[in-house]
Protein backbone atom coordinates (compact mmCIF):
# COMPACT_ATOMS: atom_id res chain seq x y z
CA UNK A 1 0.00 0.00 0.00
CA UNK A 2 1.28 3.43 -0.96
CA UNK A 3 0.20 6.69 0.57
CA UNK A 4 -0.29 9.58 -1.83
CA UNK A 5 1.32 12.84 -0.77
CA UNK A 6 -1.15 15.68 -0.58
CA UNK A 7 0.99 18.79 -0.68
CA UNK A 8 3.20 19.69 -3.63
CA UNK A 9 5.34 22.20 -1.77
CA UNK A 10 6.31 19.92 1.12
CA UNK A 11 6.96 17.08 -1.28
CA UNK A 12 9.26 19.09 -3.53
CA UNK A 13 11.26 20.11 -0.47
CA UNK A 14 11.44 16.57 0.88
CA UNK A 15 14.32 14.09 0.35
CA UNK A 16 12.12 12.37 -2.26
CA UNK A 17 11.96 15.46 -4.42
CA UNK A 18 12.90 14.67 -8.01
CA UNK A 19 11.02 11.38 -8.05
CA UNK A 20 7.43 11.10 -9.18
CA UNK A 21 5.14 13.59 -7.51
CA UNK A 22 2.24 11.12 -7.71
CA UNK A 23 3.37 7.61 -8.50
CA UNK A 24 1.37 5.51 -10.98
CA UNK A 25 2.33 2.21 -9.37
CA UNK A 26 -0.44 0.08 -7.84
CA UNK A 27 -2.04 1.64 -4.81
CA UNK A 28 -1.41 5.32 -5.55
CA UNK A 29 -4.50 7.44 -5.05
CA UNK A 30 -4.27 9.87 -7.95
CA UNK A 31 -2.21 7.61 -10.18
CA UNK A 32 -0.60 10.26 -12.32
CA UNK A 33 2.07 9.29 -14.77
CA UNK A 34 4.54 12.15 -14.98
CA UNK A 35 7.73 13.11 -13.19
CA UNK A 36 7.59 16.51 -11.52
CA UNK A 37 11.18 17.29 -12.53
CA UNK A 38 10.28 16.96 -16.22
CA UNK A 39 7.71 19.75 -16.09
CA UNK A 40 8.65 23.34 -17.00
CA UNK A 41 9.62 25.38 -13.87
CA UNK A 42 6.84 27.90 -14.35
CA UNK A 43 4.29 25.09 -14.49
CA UNK A 44 5.60 23.51 -11.29
CA UNK A 45 5.71 26.79 -9.41
CA UNK A 46 2.36 28.26 -10.40
CA UNK A 47 -0.42 26.13 -11.79
CA UNK A 48 0.22 22.94 -9.83
CA UNK A 49 0.98 24.68 -6.56
CA UNK A 50 -2.08 26.88 -6.83
CA UNK A 51 -4.34 23.96 -7.61
CA UNK A 52 -2.86 21.74 -4.91
CA UNK A 53 -4.29 23.99 -2.23
CA UNK A 54 -7.61 22.26 -2.82
CA UNK A 55 -7.41 19.31 -5.20
CA UNK A 56 -5.19 17.92 -7.95
CA UNK A 57 -6.04 18.87 -11.51
CA UNK A 58 -5.57 18.00 -15.16
CA UNK A 59 -3.16 20.40 -16.86
CA UNK A 60 -1.79 21.00 -20.34
CA UNK A 61 1.42 22.66 -21.48
CA UNK A 62 2.94 22.99 -24.95
CA UNK A 63 0.35 20.56 -26.38
CA UNK A 64 1.28 17.92 -23.79
CA UNK A 65 -1.24 16.64 -21.26
CA UNK A 66 -0.73 15.41 -17.71
CA UNK A 67 -3.48 14.37 -15.36
CA UNK A 68 -3.57 13.99 -11.59
CA UNK A 69 -7.32 13.64 -11.47
CA UNK A 70 -10.39 14.93 -13.28
CA UNK A 71 -11.31 18.18 -11.53
CA UNK A 72 -14.61 19.74 -12.47
CA UNK A 73 -14.89 23.44 -11.69
CA UNK A 74 -18.42 24.57 -10.72
CA UNK A 75 -18.74 26.72 -13.84
CA UNK A 76 -18.18 23.72 -16.11
CA UNK A 77 -19.68 20.99 -13.94
CA UNK A 78 -22.41 22.47 -11.72
CA UNK A 79 -24.00 19.18 -10.65
CA UNK A 80 -23.19 16.50 -8.06
CA UNK A 81 -21.59 13.51 -9.73
CA UNK A 82 -22.16 9.94 -8.57
CA UNK A 83 -21.03 7.24 -11.01
CA UNK A 84 -18.23 6.65 -13.48
CA UNK A 85 -17.97 4.37 -16.50
CA UNK A 86 -14.96 4.06 -18.82
CA UNK A 87 -15.04 2.60 -22.32
CA UNK A 88 -12.28 0.64 -24.03
CA UNK A 89 -11.33 3.77 -26.00
CA UNK A 90 -11.06 5.88 -22.86
CA UNK A 91 -14.40 7.69 -23.11
CA UNK A 92 -15.77 8.53 -19.67
CA UNK A 93 -19.38 8.84 -18.58
CA UNK A 94 -20.94 9.88 -15.31
CA UNK A 95 -24.39 10.19 -13.79
CA UNK A 96 -26.04 12.82 -11.61
CA UNK A 97 -29.02 11.40 -9.69
CA UNK A 98 -31.93 13.74 -9.32
CA UNK A 99 -32.65 12.01 -6.04
CA UNK A 100 -29.23 13.11 -4.76
CA UNK A 101 -29.93 16.79 -5.28
CA UNK A 102 -32.83 18.80 -6.70
CA UNK A 103 -30.13 20.96 -8.36
CA UNK A 104 -29.27 18.07 -10.72
CA UNK A 105 -31.77 19.33 -13.28
CA UNK A 106 -29.72 20.02 -16.41
CA UNK A 107 -28.85 16.39 -17.09
CA UNK A 108 -28.69 13.07 -15.29
CA UNK A 109 -26.08 11.42 -17.58
CA UNK A 110 -23.11 13.14 -19.23
CA UNK A 111 -19.91 12.37 -21.06
CA UNK A 112 -16.90 14.00 -19.38
CA UNK A 113 -13.95 15.32 -21.32
CA UNK A 114 -10.28 15.96 -20.65
CA UNK A 115 -10.75 19.72 -20.64
CA UNK A 116 -12.92 19.35 -17.50
CA UNK A 117 -16.24 19.85 -19.25
CA UNK A 118 -19.37 17.71 -19.36
CA UNK A 119 -21.93 17.23 -22.14
CA UNK A 120 -25.38 15.62 -21.64
CA UNK A 121 -25.44 12.05 -22.99
CA UNK A 122 -26.58 10.42 -25.20
CA UNK A 123 -28.39 13.69 -25.98
CA UNK A 124 -29.60 16.78 -24.18
CA UNK A 125 -33.21 15.99 -25.09
CA UNK A 126 -33.36 12.56 -23.42
CA UNK A 127 -32.11 14.16 -20.19
CA UNK A 128 -34.99 16.65 -20.06
CA UNK A 129 -38.37 14.92 -19.58
CA UNK A 130 -41.28 17.17 -20.59
CA UNK A 131 -42.56 18.96 -17.53
CA UNK A 132 -39.61 17.79 -15.45
CA UNK A 133 -38.64 14.60 -13.63
CA UNK A 134 -41.47 14.92 -11.08
CA UNK A 135 -45.15 14.52 -11.95
CA UNK A 136 -46.81 17.40 -10.11
CA UNK A 137 -50.34 16.33 -11.14
CA UNK A 138 -50.38 13.41 -8.70
CA UNK A 139 -50.83 13.40 -4.94
CA UNK A 140 -48.50 12.55 -3.45
CA UNK A 141 -45.97 13.66 -6.04
CA UNK A 142 -44.43 10.86 -8.12
CA UNK A 143 -41.60 10.42 -10.56
CA UNK A 144 -42.49 11.05 -14.20
CA UNK A 145 -43.39 7.90 -16.12
CA UNK A 146 -41.64 8.64 -19.43
CA UNK A 147 -40.00 5.49 -20.81
CA UNK A 148 -38.10 7.45 -23.46
CA UNK A 149 -36.62 10.03 -21.09
CA UNK A 150 -34.17 9.81 -18.20
CA UNK A 151 -35.74 10.57 -14.82
CA UNK A 152 -33.09 9.95 -12.15
CA UNK A 153 -30.10 7.87 -13.16
CA UNK A 154 -28.17 6.18 -10.36
CA UNK A 155 -25.63 4.14 -12.34
CA UNK A 156 -23.82 4.03 -15.68
CA UNK A 157 -21.81 0.93 -16.61
CA UNK A 158 -19.84 -0.06 -19.72
CA UNK A 159 -20.21 -3.81 -20.31
CA UNK A 160 -17.76 -6.33 -21.76
CA UNK A 161 -18.91 -5.53 -25.31
CA UNK A 162 -18.21 -1.83 -24.82
CA UNK A 163 -21.84 -0.76 -24.59
CA UNK A 164 -23.06 1.81 -22.07
CA UNK A 165 -25.96 0.83 -19.83
CA UNK A 166 -27.97 3.48 -17.97
CA UNK A 167 -29.85 2.43 -14.83
CA UNK A 168 -32.75 4.79 -14.12
CA UNK A 169 -34.42 4.75 -10.68
CA UNK A 170 -37.42 6.71 -11.93
CA UNK A 171 -37.16 8.84 -8.78
CA UNK A 172 -36.20 12.45 -8.09
CA UNK A 173 -35.97 14.78 -5.10
CA UNK A 174 -38.18 17.76 -4.41
CA UNK A 175 -36.68 21.12 -3.48
CA UNK A 176 -37.24 20.09 0.15
CA UNK A 177 -35.07 17.01 -0.44
CA UNK A 178 -37.87 14.43 -0.34
CA UNK A 179 -37.35 11.55 -2.78
CA UNK A 180 -40.68 10.95 -4.53
CA UNK A 181 -41.83 7.39 -5.40
CA UNK A 182 -41.52 6.14 -8.96
CA UNK A 183 -44.20 5.38 -11.55
CA UNK A 184 -44.14 2.59 -14.14
CA UNK A 185 -42.06 3.73 -17.10
CA UNK A 186 -39.58 5.55 -14.89
CA UNK A 187 -37.52 2.61 -13.50
CA UNK A 188 -35.68 1.16 -16.49
CA UNK A 189 -32.44 -0.03 -18.03
CA UNK A 190 -31.28 1.64 -21.25
CA UNK A 191 -28.52 0.33 -23.51
CA UNK A 192 -26.54 2.79 -25.66
CA UNK A 193 -24.36 1.91 -28.65
CA UNK A 194 -21.13 3.86 -28.17
CA UNK A 195 -20.29 3.56 -31.87
CA UNK A 196 -23.18 5.80 -32.92
CA UNK A 197 -24.41 7.13 -29.54
CA UNK A 198 -27.94 5.78 -30.00
CA UNK A 199 -30.24 3.79 -27.72
CA UNK A 200 -30.49 0.15 -28.84
CA UNK A 201 -32.57 -1.30 -25.99
CA UNK A 202 -34.92 -0.15 -23.24
CA UNK A 203 -36.08 -2.55 -20.52
CA UNK A 204 -38.88 -1.37 -18.24
CA UNK A 205 -39.14 -2.85 -14.76
CA UNK A 206 -42.70 -3.72 -13.68
CA UNK A 207 -44.01 -2.50 -10.30
CA UNK A 208 -43.73 -6.06 -8.95
CA UNK A 209 -39.95 -5.88 -9.50
CA UNK A 210 -39.15 -2.20 -9.03
CA UNK A 211 -41.50 -1.10 -6.28
CA UNK A 212 -42.50 2.55 -6.16
CA UNK A 213 -40.10 2.95 -3.21
CA UNK A 214 -37.31 0.84 -4.75
CA UNK A 215 -33.99 2.46 -5.53
CA UNK A 216 -32.18 0.73 -8.39
CA UNK A 217 -28.62 1.39 -7.36
CA UNK A 218 -25.96 -0.43 -9.36
CA UNK A 219 -25.66 -3.21 -11.93
CA UNK A 220 -23.13 -5.79 -13.16
CA UNK A 221 -23.27 -7.82 -16.37
CA UNK A 222 -22.51 -11.38 -17.45
CA UNK A 223 -22.80 -11.51 -21.24
CA UNK A 224 -21.86 -15.17 -21.72
CA UNK A 225 -24.46 -16.83 -23.94
CA UNK A 226 -24.77 -19.92 -21.73
CA UNK A 227 -26.06 -18.12 -18.63
CA UNK A 228 -29.58 -17.64 -20.05
CA UNK A 229 -31.74 -19.58 -22.49
CA UNK A 230 -32.14 -16.38 -24.52
CA UNK A 231 -28.37 -16.14 -24.95
CA UNK A 232 -28.52 -12.38 -24.45
CA UNK A 233 -26.71 -12.22 -21.14
CA UNK A 234 -27.91 -11.12 -17.73
CA UNK A 235 -27.71 -8.19 -15.34
CA UNK A 236 -27.70 -8.17 -11.53
CA UNK A 237 -29.01 -5.06 -9.74
CA UNK A 238 -29.04 -3.94 -6.12
CA UNK A 239 -32.15 -2.32 -4.66
CA UNK A 240 -30.73 -0.08 -1.95
CA UNK A 241 -33.97 1.67 -0.96
CA UNK A 242 -33.83 3.69 2.26
CA UNK A 243 -37.45 2.65 2.76
CA UNK A 244 -36.26 -0.92 3.36
CA UNK A 245 -37.59 -2.88 0.36
CA UNK A 246 -34.11 -4.15 -0.40
CA UNK A 247 -33.09 -7.09 -2.55
CA UNK A 248 -31.34 -8.25 -5.72
CA UNK A 249 -33.02 -7.76 -9.10
CA UNK A 250 -32.10 -10.02 -12.01
CA UNK A 251 -32.79 -9.06 -15.62
CA UNK A 252 -32.51 -11.21 -18.75
CA UNK A 253 -31.07 -8.89 -21.39
CA UNK A 254 -32.34 -11.13 -24.19
CA UNK A 255 -36.01 -11.24 -23.19
CA UNK A 256 -36.29 -8.17 -21.00
CA UNK A 257 -37.79 -10.22 -18.17
CA UNK A 258 -36.83 -9.33 -14.61
CA UNK A 259 -37.39 -10.77 -11.14
CA UNK A 260 -36.35 -10.35 -7.52
CA UNK A 261 -34.43 -12.54 -5.09
CA UNK A 262 -33.30 -12.20 -1.45
CA UNK A 263 -36.14 -9.78 -0.89
CA UNK A 264 -36.01 -8.02 2.46
CA UNK A 265 -33.74 -10.49 4.24
CA UNK A 266 -31.26 -9.17 6.85
CA UNK A 267 -28.20 -9.52 4.59
CA UNK A 268 -29.55 -7.01 2.05
CA UNK A 269 -30.90 -4.53 4.59
CA UNK A 270 -29.07 -1.87 6.54
CA UNK A 271 -28.18 -2.79 10.09
CA UNK A 272 -30.22 -1.37 12.96
CA UNK A 273 -28.82 1.83 14.51
CA UNK A 274 -25.87 1.85 12.12
CA UNK A 275 -23.52 4.77 12.77
CA UNK A 276 -20.43 5.61 10.73
CA UNK A 277 -17.77 8.23 11.32
CA UNK A 278 -15.65 10.20 8.82
CA UNK A 279 -12.89 12.52 10.06
CA UNK A 280 -14.27 12.10 13.56
CA UNK A 281 -17.74 13.31 12.58
CA UNK A 282 -20.66 10.96 13.19
CA UNK A 283 -23.04 10.25 10.34
CA UNK A 284 -26.47 10.80 11.85
CA UNK A 285 -29.03 11.55 9.18
CA UNK A 286 -32.15 13.70 8.95
CA UNK A 287 -34.23 11.51 6.64
CA UNK A 288 -36.79 14.16 5.66
CA UNK A 289 -34.72 16.36 3.40
CA UNK A 290 -32.44 17.65 6.14
CA UNK A 291 -35.08 20.15 7.23
CA UNK A 292 -33.99 21.69 10.56
CA UNK A 293 -36.13 20.56 13.47
CA UNK A 294 -36.92 17.14 12.07
CA UNK A 295 -35.78 14.16 14.19
CA UNK A 296 -32.38 12.73 13.27
CA UNK A 297 -31.80 9.02 12.80
CA UNK A 298 -29.36 6.47 11.46
CA UNK A 299 -28.13 5.61 7.98
CA UNK A 300 -30.46 2.89 6.60
CA UNK A 301 -29.33 2.31 3.01
CA UNK A 302 -29.40 -1.38 2.09
CA UNK A 303 -27.70 -3.46 -0.64
CA UNK A 304 -25.74 -0.95 -2.71
CA UNK A 305 -22.30 -1.99 -3.98
CA UNK A 306 -22.27 -5.02 -6.28
CA UNK A 307 -19.55 -7.05 -8.02
CA UNK A 308 -19.15 -10.34 -9.87
CA UNK A 309 -16.40 -12.88 -9.34
CA UNK A 310 -13.89 -13.30 -12.17
CA UNK A 311 -15.66 -16.47 -13.36
CA UNK A 312 -19.14 -14.95 -13.06
CA UNK A 313 -20.28 -17.69 -10.70
CA UNK A 314 -20.53 -15.55 -7.54
CA UNK A 315 -22.25 -12.23 -6.88
CA UNK A 316 -20.95 -9.99 -4.08
CA UNK A 317 -22.88 -7.14 -2.49
CA UNK A 318 -22.75 -4.87 0.54
CA UNK A 319 -25.31 -2.58 2.22
CA UNK A 320 -24.09 0.95 2.96
CA UNK A 321 -25.43 0.68 6.51
CA UNK A 322 -23.18 -2.30 7.25
CA UNK A 323 -19.50 -3.16 7.28
CA UNK A 324 -20.07 -6.70 6.00
CA UNK A 325 -19.53 -8.22 2.56
CA UNK A 326 -21.89 -10.97 1.36
CA UNK A 327 -22.09 -13.26 -1.65
CA UNK A 328 -24.35 -15.83 -3.30
CA UNK A 329 -23.87 -18.20 -6.27
CA UNK A 330 -25.28 -16.50 -9.37
CA UNK A 331 -26.94 -19.77 -10.41
CA UNK A 332 -29.23 -19.37 -7.40
CA UNK A 333 -30.24 -15.89 -8.57
CA UNK A 334 -30.97 -17.00 -12.13
CA UNK A 335 -33.15 -19.86 -10.87
CA UNK A 336 -36.90 -19.15 -10.97
CA UNK A 337 -38.16 -22.52 -9.79
CA UNK A 338 -40.67 -22.79 -6.88
CA UNK A 339 -37.84 -23.40 -4.39
CA UNK A 340 -35.44 -20.88 -5.90
CA UNK A 341 -35.75 -18.29 -3.14
CA UNK A 342 -35.23 -20.91 -0.42
CA UNK A 343 -32.10 -22.16 -2.18
CA UNK A 344 -30.81 -18.62 -2.75
CA UNK A 345 -31.19 -17.63 0.89
CA UNK A 346 -29.57 -20.87 2.00
CA UNK A 347 -26.54 -20.25 -0.24
CA UNK A 348 -25.52 -16.84 1.14
CA UNK A 349 -21.97 -16.48 2.47
CA UNK A 350 -20.65 -13.78 4.78
CA UNK A 351 -17.04 -12.72 4.18
CA UNK A 352 -16.73 -10.67 7.34
CA UNK A 353 -16.10 -6.95 7.70
CA UNK A 354 -14.48 -4.95 4.92
CA UNK A 355 -15.07 -1.41 6.12
CA UNK A 356 -17.96 0.98 5.55
CA UNK A 357 -18.45 1.34 1.81
CA UNK A 358 -20.66 2.31 -1.07
CA UNK A 359 -19.61 0.86 -4.45
CA UNK A 360 -17.76 -2.37 -5.25
CA UNK A 361 -15.75 -3.43 -8.29
CA UNK A 362 -13.83 -6.46 -9.58
CA UNK A 363 -10.66 -6.71 -11.66
CA UNK A 364 -9.65 -9.46 -14.08
CA UNK A 365 -7.62 -11.17 -11.34
CA UNK A 366 -10.73 -11.59 -9.24
CA UNK A 367 -9.90 -9.04 -6.53
CA UNK A 368 -12.90 -7.17 -5.11
CA UNK A 369 -12.37 -3.44 -4.42
CA UNK A 370 -14.48 -1.75 -1.77
CA UNK A 371 -14.56 1.73 -0.31
CA UNK A 372 -13.65 2.39 3.32
CA UNK A 373 -15.07 5.79 4.32
CA UNK A 374 -13.88 5.72 7.87
CA UNK A 375 -10.21 5.19 6.97
CA UNK A 376 -10.07 7.48 3.88
CA UNK A 377 -9.23 4.41 1.84
CA UNK A 378 -10.19 1.84 -0.73
CA UNK A 379 -9.80 -1.72 0.51
CA UNK A 380 -9.39 -4.91 -1.48
CA UNK A 381 -10.93 -8.30 -0.66
CA UNK A 382 -9.09 -11.38 -1.90
CA UNK A 383 -11.55 -14.28 -2.39
CA UNK A 384 -8.63 -16.75 -2.60
CA UNK A 385 -7.71 -16.34 1.07
CA UNK A 386 -10.59 -14.30 2.52
CA UNK A 387 -8.46 -11.35 3.59
CA UNK A 388 -9.17 -7.61 3.40
CA UNK A 389 -6.28 -5.16 2.99
CA UNK A 390 -5.81 -1.50 2.10
CA UNK A 391 -5.38 -0.84 -1.61
CA UNK A 392 -5.01 2.93 -1.48
CA UNK A 393 -5.30 5.56 1.24
CA UNK A 394 -5.37 9.34 0.85
CA UNK A 395 -6.81 12.22 2.90
CA UNK A 396 -8.84 13.35 -0.13
CA UNK A 397 -10.76 10.07 -0.12
CA UNK A 398 -13.96 10.33 1.87
CA UNK A 399 -17.09 8.85 0.37
CA UNK A 400 -15.89 6.75 -2.57
CA UNK A 401 -19.20 6.37 -4.32
CA UNK A 402 -18.68 4.40 -7.52
CA UNK A 403 -15.74 2.53 -9.02
CA UNK A 404 -15.04 1.39 -12.56
CA UNK A 405 -12.16 -0.67 -13.95
CA UNK A 406 -10.93 0.36 -17.37
CA UNK A 407 -9.22 -1.77 -20.00
CA UNK A 408 -6.23 0.52 -19.47
CA UNK A 409 -5.49 -1.18 -16.12
CA UNK A 410 -6.74 1.61 -13.84
CA UNK A 411 -9.42 1.73 -11.16
CA UNK A 412 -11.46 4.92 -11.57
CA UNK A 413 -13.49 6.22 -8.63
CA UNK A 414 -15.55 9.26 -7.70
CA UNK A 415 -15.41 11.38 -4.56
CA UNK A 416 -18.69 13.27 -4.18
CA UNK A 417 -18.64 14.19 -0.47
CA UNK A 418 -21.95 12.40 0.06
CA UNK A 419 -21.73 12.58 3.84
CA UNK A 420 -21.53 16.38 3.67
CA UNK A 421 -25.01 16.67 2.14
CA UNK A 422 -27.70 18.69 3.97
CA UNK A 423 -29.51 15.55 5.13
CA UNK A 424 -26.51 14.70 7.33
CA UNK A 425 -26.08 18.23 8.71
CA UNK A 426 -29.52 19.46 9.69
CA UNK A 427 -30.12 21.22 6.39
CA UNK A 428 -26.64 22.72 5.94
CA UNK A 429 -24.83 21.87 2.71
CA UNK A 430 -21.19 21.29 3.67
CA UNK A 431 -19.99 20.03 0.30
CA UNK A 432 -17.10 21.94 -1.24
CA UNK A 433 -16.83 22.06 -4.99
CA UNK A 434 -15.18 20.95 -7.15
CA UNK A 435 -15.90 17.22 -7.09
CA UNK A 436 -13.12 14.92 -8.25
CA UNK A 437 -12.68 11.76 -10.29
CA UNK A 438 -9.55 9.80 -9.32
CA UNK A 439 -7.80 6.81 -10.79
CA UNK A 440 -5.26 4.30 -9.46
CA UNK A 441 -3.26 1.65 -11.29
CA UNK A 442 -4.32 -1.92 -10.52
CA UNK A 443 -1.86 -4.51 -9.17
CA UNK A 444 -0.77 -7.66 -11.01
CA UNK A 445 -1.36 -6.28 -14.53
CA UNK A 446 -5.08 -6.52 -13.86
CA UNK A 447 -7.61 -5.01 -16.21
CA UNK A 448 -11.38 -4.91 -16.79
CA UNK A 449 -13.45 -8.04 -16.20
CA UNK A 450 -15.29 -8.70 -19.46
CA UNK A 451 -17.47 -11.85 -19.03
CA UNK A 452 -18.61 -12.05 -22.63
Amino acid sequence: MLYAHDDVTSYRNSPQSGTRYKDDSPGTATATWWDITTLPPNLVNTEILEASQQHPICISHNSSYWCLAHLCQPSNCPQIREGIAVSSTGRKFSNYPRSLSSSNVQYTVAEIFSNNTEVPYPSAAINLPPGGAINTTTYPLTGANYKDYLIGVQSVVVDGRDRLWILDTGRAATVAGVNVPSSYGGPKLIGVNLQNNTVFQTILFPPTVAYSTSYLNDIRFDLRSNVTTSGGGIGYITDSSDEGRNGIIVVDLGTGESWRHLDGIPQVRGEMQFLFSIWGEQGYINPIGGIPGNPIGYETTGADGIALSADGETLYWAPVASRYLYSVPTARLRDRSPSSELLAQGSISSHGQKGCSDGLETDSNGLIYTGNFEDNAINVFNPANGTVNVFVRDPRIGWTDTMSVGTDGYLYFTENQYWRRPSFWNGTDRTQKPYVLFRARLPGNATKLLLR
Side-chain angles (χ1 to χ4, degrees), residues 326-346:
Y326 300 99
S327 73
V328 69
T330 52
R332 298 273 66 88
L333 299 176
R334 296 192 299 269
D335 186 3
R336 302 179 69 184
S337 69
S339 299
S340 60
E341 179 62 13
L342 301 179
L343 295 171
Q345 291 190 25

Side-chain angles (χ1 to χ4, degrees), residues 82-151:
E82 180 121 346
I84 178 62
V86 184
S87 76
S88 64
T89 60
R91 295 175 69 183
K92 298 175 183 64
F93 306 89
S94 194
N95 62 284
Y96 312 77
R98 291 186 169 118
S99 58
L100 186 64
S101 172
S102 60
S103 64
N104 284 359
V105 296
Q106 298 181 31
Y107 44 83
T108 187
V109 176
E111 183 169 3
I112 56 180
F113 295 91
S114 58
N115 62 351
N116 293 328
T117 58
E118 304 169 341
V119 175
Y121 190 86
S123 68
I126 197 175
N127 278 272
L128 296 172
I134 295 178
N135 186 349
T136 59
T137 67
T138 63
Y139 182 82
L141 301 175
T142 56
N145 62 348
Y146 297 112
K147 68 180 182 66
D148 295 322
Y149 291 88
L150 301 178
I151 308 301

